[in-house]
Amino acid sequence: LKSTGTDTLTGRKRATLATVAASAGVSVATVSKVLNGHSDVAPSTRSMVEAVLQQHEYVAPVRRSEATARPTVEMEFDLALNAYSAEILQGAVDAAAELGASVVVSIKAGPDRTVSWARDLATAGRRAVIAVTGELTTSHLTALSRARLTLVVIDPMNLPRARVTSIGSTNFAGGLSATQHLLSLGHRRIAYVGGPAGAASNQARLHGFRAAMEAGHATIPPEYLHTGRFRYQDGFARGAALLELPQPPTAVFAANDYTALGIIEAARARGLRVPEDLSIVGFDDTQIARIASPPLTTVRQPLREMGAVALRTALRLAAGEKVDSHHVELATELIVRQSTTTP
Amino acid sequence: LKSTGTDTLTGRKRATLATVAASAGVSVATVSKVLNGHSDVAPSTRSMVEAVLQQHEYVAPVRRSEATARPTVEMEFDLALNAYSAEILQGAVDAAAELGASVVVSIKAGPDRTVSWARDLATAGRRAVIAVTGELTTSHLTALSRARLTLVVIDPMNLPRARVTSIGSTNFAGGLSATQHLLSLGHRRIAYVGGPAGAASNQARLHGFRAAMEAGHATIPPEYLHTGRFRYQDGFARGAALLELPQPPTAVFAANDYTALGIIEAARARGLRVPEDLSIVGFDDTQIARIASPPLTTVRQPLREMGAVALRTALRLAAGEKVDSHHVELATELIVRQSTTTP
DNA sequence: CTGAAAGCGCTTACAG
DNA sequence: CTGAAAGCGCTTACAG
């Protein structure tokens, strides 16, 4: 006859009003009033009860309507939304629609994730959290696991040591094919304008670049190697610096499309033509690659599909199913447009 | 001691398992099993009970957590997500975060909205729906009003005759200032590459263009007027056509940024330089305007703020508050960058 | 301001 | 396959 109240994922019992009341030395009724913000509770009692609720990690019970009807996943973006986020989100929303699920969008605000943040999400009935391109901190992970929320990360900035499920793409292969493309056109002086030195995706792209250059017996002068933050401004500034060099590159591999567009503009501002005077390859194949002038040769990341896979994986994990692999890498593909030609 | 179970909005009693069981002539236990998909129910009983549930419009009880903690708004985009949607969404999500609300993203899939679609949203606990740049059909409105859901539209394609709350921007003033800018640079041969002929925002921009041209005593040859669908390809195709003309324009006002980028590329593909050989003004000031090559002179719509205002208005209306006006227009502003110069 | 107690809406182990 | 009944977790009118 008893309902266990057991959390399916962790096996730990969920705190009930009764638990909390006993622990706080008050009646269940009083705890209920505190939870509902009723005014007829002494301030001192209220704060004491609130502390005990915290301590027991009380979460409102999940109703069937929440539990079955429309699973909801929180998709959290680290930065302002843009064409890149839009593609990933599109994939997740499409996949959710197929499964009858919902996607809530949020944008990381505070400096770091707190336990109460995660608990609020659990209370609001979220099944899982998908973090996009975020930096995974220990507090982030702790908060989520305390709240018993499933986490899936897309293209994380750092590779977490804990066993976190992540979705990425074949960045090394992408860097390799972008560079091989430039080499095969006859370029030898090729620069790389990358992302943050610590970013996992940037490292993989850089190593792909290096591997192709070595295989092609092309040297990389140190002044051809730049880091950045995946932004247009980085491309503009680094691109300008590269073009000032006594021996400027004839081609640049940019670590993403925004950076590539910045380099295009740096070239245009100096009266140089792309691709005649400078070839540029980007990375991502967001919408901006197609509408750039000239249209950008770039390495396609299947962003929509990454969003879709993340959503499906998150839901599967939240339902207690196993997934084959804790890290999935989808294939990248070189898309040749008009920003590259022979030197 | 009784809890009313009354729907606060309609005053109608919500059906409970007991109601349904009595009506179906079975026990409460059986209804519960049907709802939870347990296997120990005869198929005939199951389908009969399901029919009665339907008929009584049974909805699972709403928990405190759903009812108070986090109001949720459904934001529905008519087309695939892009840089434009991203800006609006960003504004809505930021405003929601301030109010402790959540934004669920969906993308219009089917040809038209059904009553069950709206009821599903109500069942899932949505407080309101925000429709972005959609075409408002009667069935859309009927479905929402039947489900007693608040609707706010952003930049709708058609001006609904019913009293719908809508958020837009000063498109006429924007079209005017874009054109005045080109005229003041000395241009006389100015073309307009617009959106759909029936789109309200396009009409207002076109009339702003016309008003400025008339005031400046500049004539508009009919072949300088084009419609489109706000897409890059439209700009590319129409731009190419304009440049083929025996008497090509020296400047083009494009009805949005995507169209403007298409025109830039059409010019570049013909060996023309922007702005030296052709000046171009866009509309929206999405991120792509800043990263275009050259950076695009454009009319800024405060897209983020439009998203924020829509969200706040939707929540206010859903809470039963009155709003001052059923149509709000936020101010546009000309942003001069590098795609315009003297002819 | 507090809590005992009634009650609500739902679920479930079990008897038939 | 069905339902009476125990029970869970929560809320609330009311007595003190």
Side-chain angles (χ1 to χ4, degrees):
Chain A
L1 255 273
K2 62 167 174 285
S3 116
T4 65
T6 303
D7 184 301
T8 34
L9 285 166
T10 66
R12 227 168 48 167
K13 296 249 178 185
R14 198 177 63 77
T16 65
L17 289 211
T19 330
V20 174
S23 170
V26 296
S27 72
V28 170
T30 301
V31 180
S32 172
K33 287 173 193 167
V34 169
L35 274 175
N36 293 290
H38 290 197
S39 54
D40 57 344
V41 180
S44 60
T45 309
R46 178 182 301 281
S47 51
M48 185 270 284
V49 170
E50 268 161 359
V52 180
L53 282 165
Q54 280 276 0
Q55 179 193 318
H56 283 262
E57 297 178 2
Y58 177 80
V59 179
V62 174
R63 279 279 167 175
R64 178 176 31 72
S65 61
E66 289 172 42
T68 61
R70 277 202 159 254
T72 302
V73 173
E74 183 99 1
M75 194 143 187
E76 192 180 275
F77 294 87
D78 206 54
L79 300 165
L81 298 176
N82 55 23
Y84 176 88
S85 344
E87 299 268 352
I88 293 176
L89 180 57
Q90 172 90 41
V93 168
D94 287 347
E98 258 173 41
L99 298 168
S102 298
V103 176
V104 169
V105 172
S106 68
I107 294 153
K108 192 190 169 191
D112 227 339
R113 281 56 228 351
T114 61
V115 172
S116 84
W117 157 78
R119 189 161 46 228
D120 287 349
L121 291 180
T123 305
R126 305 289 186 266
R127 291 285 179 82
V129 173
I130 298 176
V132 183
T133 64
E135 190 116 24
L136 287 173
T137 63
T138 313
S139 74
H140 196 139
L141 299 176
T142 312
L144 288 168
S145 87
R146 286 254 176 96
R148 292 172 199 103
L149 273 169
T150 298
L151 171 69
V152 170
V153 296
I154 295 180
D155 192 14
M157 278 305 192
N158 55 331
L159 275 186
R161 51 178 154 282
R163 199 115 63 59
V164 170
T165 306
S166 55
I167 314 289
S169 71
T170 57
N171 289 305
F172 178 84
L176 197 74
S177 68
T179 312
Q180 283 168 343
H181 168 64
L182 292 171
L183 287 166
S184 75
L185 285 168
H187 292 278
R188 306 293 295 169
R189 303 210 309 269
I190 309 176
Y192 176 69
V193 179
S201 64
N202 174 63
Q203 287 169 2
R205 290 168 203 178
L206 172 59
H207 283 110
F209 169 69
R210 283 205 160 117
M213 290 294 270
E214 262 177 41
H217 306 292
T219 54
I220 311 171
E223 63 272 23
Y224 276 20
L225 252 23
H226 286 282
T227 57
R229 289 169 62 187
F230 289 131
R231 298 169 310 180
Y232 174 84
Q233 303 96 287
D234 301 316
F236 188 73
R238 301 286 147 253
L242 284 167
L243 295 172
E244 288 293 346
L245 253 28
Q247 185 76 303
T250 61
V252 186
F253 170 35
N256 76 339
D257 290 345
Y258 288 107
T259 303
L261 287 240
I263 300 170
I264 288 181
E265 175 58 14
R268 196 201 62 87
R270 304 177 68 81
L272 298 178
R273 299 205 161 208
V274 175
E276 293 80 1
D277 304 320
L278 185 69
S279 285
I280 300 170
V281 181
F283 208 106
D284 283 347
D285 195 28
T286 51
Q287 197 185 34
I288 66 166
R290 293 186 285 284
I291 69 182
S293 191
L296 189 69
T297 295
T298 191
V299 177
R300 179 166 193 277
Q301 282 200 83
L303 295 172
R304 288 194 184 195
E305 188 158 3
M306 286 162 67
V309 168
L311 185 114
R312 288 192 285 259
T313 305
L315 245 29
R316 216 167 277 151
L317 285 170
E321 292 176 41
K322 295 269 168 237
V323 290
D324 302 336
S325 162
H326 277 277
H327 180 67
V328 175
E329 288 200 348
L330 302 182
T332 52
E333 181 193 1
L334 181 73
I335 307 288
V336 177
R337 293 203 181 87
Q338 297 171 46
S339 65
T340 47
T341 189
T342 50
Chain B
L1 255 272
K2 61 166 175 288
S3 116
T4 66
T6 303
D7 185 304
T8 35
L9 285 167
T10 66
R12 226 169 46 169
K13 295 250 178 185
R14 197 176 65 77
T16 65
L17 289 212
T19 329
V20 174
S23 169
V26 296
S27 71
V28 171
T30 301
V31 180
S32 172
K33 286 174 193 168
V34 169
L35 274 174
N36 293 289
H38 289 198
S39 55
D40 56 345
V41 180
S44 60
T45 309
R46 177 182 302 280
S47 51
M48 185 269 283
V49 170
E50 268 161 359
V52 180
L53 282 165
Q54 279 277 356
Q55 179 194 318
H56 283 261
E57 295 182 1
Y58 177 80
V59 180
V62 174
R63 278 281 167 174
R64 175 178 34 72
S65 59
E66 288 172 47
T68 61
R70 280 198 158 256
T72 302
V73 173
E74 183 99 1
M75 194 146 188
E76 191 180 275
F77 293 87
D78 206 55
L79 299 165
L81 298 176
N82 55 24
Y84 176 87
S85 344
E87 299 268 352
I88 293 177
L89 180 57
Q90 172 90 42
V93 168
D94 287 348
E98 259 173 38
L99 298 168
S102 297
V103 176
V104 169
V105 173
S106 68
I107 295 153
K108 192 190 170 195
D112 227 341
R113 282 58 230 348
T114 61
V115 172
S116 84
W117 158 78
R119 190 163 44 228
D120 286 350
L121 291 180
T123 305
R126 304 292 186 265
R127 293 281 178 84
V129 173
I130 297 175
V132 184
T133 63
E135 191 116 24
L136 287 174
T137 63
T138 312
S139 75
H140 195 140
L141 299 176
T142 312
L144 288 169
S145 86
R146 287 253 176 96
R148 293 175 197 97
L149 273 170
T150 298
L151 171 69
V152 171
V153 296
I154 295 180
D155 192 15
M157 278 305 191
N158 55 331
L159 275 186
R161 50 178 156 282
R163 201 116 60 60
V164 170
T165 306
S166 56
I167 314 288
S169 70
T170 57
N171 289 305
F172 178 85
L176 198 74
S177 68
T179 313
Q180 283 169 343
H181 168 65
L182 291 170
L183 287 165
S184 75
L185 285 169
H187 292 278
R188 306 292 297 170
R189 303 211 309 271
I190 309 176
Y192 176 69
V193 179
S201 64
N202 175 64
Q203 287 168 3
R205 289 168 204 177
L206 172 59
H207 283 110
F209 169 69
R210 283 205 160 119
M213 290 294 271
E214 264 177 39
H217 306 293
T219 53
I220 311 171
E223 64 271 24
Y224 275 19
L225 251 23
H226 285 282
T227 57
R229 290 170 61 188
F230 290 131
R231 298 169 311 180
Y232 173 85
Q233 303 97 283
D234 301 317
F236 188 73
R238 301 287 147 251
L242 284 167
L243 295 172
E244 288 294 344
L245 255 26
Q247 186 78 301
T250 61
V252 186
F253 171 35
N256 77 339
D257 290 345
Y258 287 106
T259 303
L261 287 239
I263 300 171
I264 289 182
E265 175 58 14
R268 195 202 62 88
R270 304 176 68 80
L272 299 178
R273 299 205 163 207
V274 175
E276 292 80 1
D277 304 320
L278 185 70
S279 286
I280 300 171
V281 181
F283 207 105
D284 284 348
D285 195 28
T286 51
Q287 197 186 35
I288 66 166
R290 294 186 284 284
I291 68 181
S293 189
L296 189 69
T297 295
T298 191
V299 177
R300 180 167 194 276
Q301 281 200 85
L303 296 171
R304 287 195 185 195
E305 188 157 4
M306 287 161 67
V309 169
L311 185 115
R312 288 191 286 257
T313 305
L315 245 28
R316 217 168 276 150
L317 285 171
E321 293 176 40
K322 295 268 168 241
V323 291
D324 304 334
S325 163
H326 276 276
H327 179 68
V328 175
E329 288 201 347
L330 302 182
T332 52
E333 181 194 1
L334 180 74
I335 307 288
V336 178
R337 294 206 181 86
Q338 297 170 47
S339 65
T340 48
T341 189
T342 51

